[in-house]
């Protein structure tokens, strides 16, 4: 479903972030990408969304070369991917409810549908009593959970989660990860970038370890070893 | 359809949530609109001024009582042959002059009584000549009328306006027009750059927002529409505010202007051009609002 083929990313003038990265993510897989801070996890994930272009090599989503997509074709791919970003990327001018609703509005759902679905998802991430707050009126952890709610609201085929537990206490981390596991159980693909050792080890799923821009390990029942 | 409705509701919500920004955008748009309206009204006043001056009868030639119409018309032909750009030459017969006079003073008994006392028709046939402000034509006509050729039939020539006065007024209006136009252009330019920068400021604060919308898959149109609508709303409100201010200003200035320019009513000029003025104000407000939002949003859509 997602395929990296000899991907190298060099930020001008000469910061090499990724080198000759190749791997494939199958439909329905749960895959963790681990590595030290600065290893290139976020860069790699942003490439799947077409937010960074490889300096060389290709990234494919369902056989389409992402960097060759433009305009609405690229937007269609982005719609099919639920992204949880390290910096949350919330709409600061919209309330909690509106942030989640926006995704469904982009898809053109009607208000009845939106009004029934959004509260359910916000309930699932424990934000039911903050519907009318603006992101700036939320704690870091709450913002992160809002980002999670937004990523899963439209049941995308793939969830890409960049440090979705970075700001959460152990209880909420556990909640978010089990939410991702649940989504994976119904057949969705999950890509998780994290440096939380405990989470990765507990998952017992495929792990790709990045170091200095290269894949140094790719194991199907991997552990966090650095 | 549902998308359009959403775009409107996004725009209205944003408008309400960013009140400070909305107010400043409306303020600059109102300023621009006012400026253009002001230029329009100034143009009206000055073209009225020019028209009145140009249409003033500047030469009247009175003929001896016994002169035949044919002779008078030959003078007219002579003038037209030598000064072809003359704006108008009207022949007024004795009878016309009398009825004209009676018409003008029909309310005043004194005049009619005076006329009866005089007995008969005391008026002389005449040619009323409008040169249209061209000095050389003016000189030529004067030359013909005062020359020897028609000495026998012309009783007297009345140069109702002194040439020098006309000249000064003309040079004043001409320079007023040029300076006004230049000033106007400068102001419009300044206004547009202020508007543009204000809207840029607004949308720069929305830059992150636009970025995020793209990241979650919204199409360009879906992102752009609310901003464009918001720009339009700013413009519409600005035009309404501008209209209100213009009406107040017109009412306040009318008296003052009719003192300087007798016969010119700013109020009636304004109301007889209301539709055009409205159109200009809406075009400027909404046009500038919408166009500048489009330009600035487009810049941020490249994610
Ligand atoms: N726009 C950029 N220009 C130059 N260098 C960049 C840019 N973005 C990222 N980098 C560099 O690329 C490297 C990898 O960054 P990246 O964000 O992918 O790391 P990461 O693995 O996600 O780290 P973390 O765990 O801290 O989130 C870092 O050294 C960073 O400084
Ligand atoms: Mg990162």
């Amino acid at each position: 479903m997602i395929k990296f083929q000899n991907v190298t990313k060099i930020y001008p003038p000469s910061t090499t972030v990724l080198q000759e990265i190749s791997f494939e993510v199958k439909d329905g897989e749960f895959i963790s990408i681990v590595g030290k801070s600065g290893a290139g996890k976020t860069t790699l994930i942003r490439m799947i969304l077409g937010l960074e272009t490889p300096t060389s090599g290709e990234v494919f989503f369902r056989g389409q070369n992402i960097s060759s997509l433009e305009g609405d074709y690229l937007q269609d791919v982005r719609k099919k991917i639920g992204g949880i970003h390290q910096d949350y990327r919330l709409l600061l001018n919209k309330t909690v409810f509106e942030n989640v609703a926006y995704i469904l509005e982009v898809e053109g759902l009607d208000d009845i549908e939106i009004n029934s679905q959004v509260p359910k998802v916000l309930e699932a991430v424990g934000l039911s009593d903050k519907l009318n707050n603006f992101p700036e009126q939320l704690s870091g952890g709450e913002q992160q959970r809002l980002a999670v709610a937004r990523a899963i609201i439209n049941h995308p085929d793939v969830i890409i989660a960049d440090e979705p537990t970075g700001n959460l206490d152990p209880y909420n981390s556990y909640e978010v990860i089990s939410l991702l596991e649940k989504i994976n159980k119904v057949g969705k693909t999950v890509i998780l970038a994290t440096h939380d050792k405990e989470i990765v080890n507990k998952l017992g799923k495929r792990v790709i370890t990045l170091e200095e821009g290269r894949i140094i390990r790719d194991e199907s029942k991997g552990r966090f070893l650095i | 359809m549902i998308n359009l409705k959403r775009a409107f509701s996004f725009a209205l919500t944003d408008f309400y949530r960013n009140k400070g920004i909305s107010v400043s955008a409306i303020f600059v748009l109102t300023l621009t609109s006012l400026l253009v309206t002001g230029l329009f009204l100034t143009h009206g006043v000055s073209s009225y001024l020019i028209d009145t001056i140009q249409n003033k009868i500047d030469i009247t030639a009175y003929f001896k009582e016994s002169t035949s119409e044919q002779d008078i018309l030959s003078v007219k032909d002579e003038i037209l042959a030598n000064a072809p750009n003359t704006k108008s030459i009207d022949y007024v017969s004795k009878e016309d002059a009398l009825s004209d006079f009676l018409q003008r003073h029909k309310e005043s008994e004194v005049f009619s009584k005076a006329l009866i006392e005089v007995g008969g028709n005391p008026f002389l046939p005449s040619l009323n000549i409008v040169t249209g402000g061209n000095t050389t034509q003016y000189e030529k006509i004067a030359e013909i009328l005062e020359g020897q050729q028609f000495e026998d039939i012309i009783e007297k020539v009345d140069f109702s306006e002194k040439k020098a006065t006309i000249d000064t007024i003309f040079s004043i209006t001409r320079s007023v027009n040029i300076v006004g136009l230049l000033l106007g252009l400068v102001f419009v330019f300044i206004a547009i750059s202020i508007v543009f920068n204000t809207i840029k400021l607004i949308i720069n604060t929305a830059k992150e927002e636009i970025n995020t919308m793209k990241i979650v898959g919204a199409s360009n149109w879906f992102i752009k529409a609310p901003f464009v609508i918001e720009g339009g709303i700013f413009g519409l409100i600005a035009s309404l505010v501008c209209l209100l201010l213009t009406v107040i200003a017109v009412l306040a200035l009318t008296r003052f202007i009719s003192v300087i320019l007798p016969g010119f009513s700013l109020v009636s000029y304004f109301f007889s051009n209301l539709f055009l003025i409205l159109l200009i104000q809406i075009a400027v407000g909404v046009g500038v609002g919408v166009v500048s939002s489009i330009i600035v949003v487009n810049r941020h859509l490249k994610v």
Side-chain angles (χ1 to χ4, degrees), chain A residues 136-149:
Chain A
E136 277 162 0
Q137 301 164 333
L138 298 177
S139 73
E142 285 166 341
Q143 291 183 28
Q144 195 145 40
R145 283 181 278 148
L146 175 55
V148 172

Side-chain angles (χ1 to χ4, degrees), chain A residues 46 49-51 71-72 74-76 78-79 81 85 88-95 98 102-106 108-111 114 134 150, chain B residues 2-3 5-6 9-11 13-14 17-18 205-223 226 301-303:
Chain A
R46 282 170 61 82
L49 288 166
L51 297 170
D72 286 347
L74 180 58
Q75 295 311 95
D76 278 342
R78 287 175 179 167
K79 262 190 254 179
I81 300 174
H85 301 269
Y88 316 142
R89 287 262 158 211
L90 300 170
L91 297 167
L92 302 181
N93 248 324
K94 294 191 188 292
T95 63
E98 289 165 351
Y102 191 77
I103 304 297
L104 300 181
E105 285 160 347
V106 165
L109 264 63
D110 61 32
D111 289 347
I114 291 173
F134 289 93
R150 189 181 61 179
Chain B
I2 188 165
N3 279 339
K5 204 186 98 204
R6 273 195 181 128
S9 105
F10 286 158
T13 315
D14 214 56
R17 282 184 189 157
N18 301 309
T205 50
K207 184 180 173 183
E208 283 298 302
E209 207 88 344
I210 292 173
N211 255 322
T212 303
M213 290 168 176
K214 284 232 71 171
I215 289 174
V216 300
S219 68
N220 283 351
W221 188 89
F222 196 82
I223 297 171
L301 277 175
K302 300 197 180 79
V303 180

Side-chain angles (χ1 to χ4, degrees), chain A residues 11 15 17 35-44 86 162-163 195:
Chain A
Y11 283 112
T15 317
V17 182
K36 279 189 261 195
S37 180
K41 304 181 292 291
T42 298
T43 307
L44 191 148
Q86 195 166 10
D162 193 0
E163 302 289 359
H195 38 219

Side-chain angles (χ1 to χ4, degrees), chain B residues 238-255:
Chain B
S239 346
L240 291 180
V241 174
C242 175
L243 183 67
L244 197 74
L245 292 176
T246 314
V247 170
I248 294 171
V250 163
L251 291 178
L253 284 177
T254 294
R255 239 233 199 119

Side-chain angles (χ1 to χ4, degrees), chain A residues 203-215:
Chain A
L203 276 170
K205 308 261 183 181
R206 180 176 169 197
V207 177
I208 289 179
T209 309
L210 284 181
E211 201 175 290
E212 288 174 6
R214 291 179 187 278
I215 295 183

Side-chain angles (χ1 to χ4, degrees), chain B residues 220-239:
Chain B
N220 283 351
W221 188 89
F222 196 82
I223 297 171
K224 214 187 295 187
F227 286 105
V228 174
I229 291 171
E230 209 177 333
I233 295 175
F234 290 157
L236 210 60
I237 293 178
S239 346

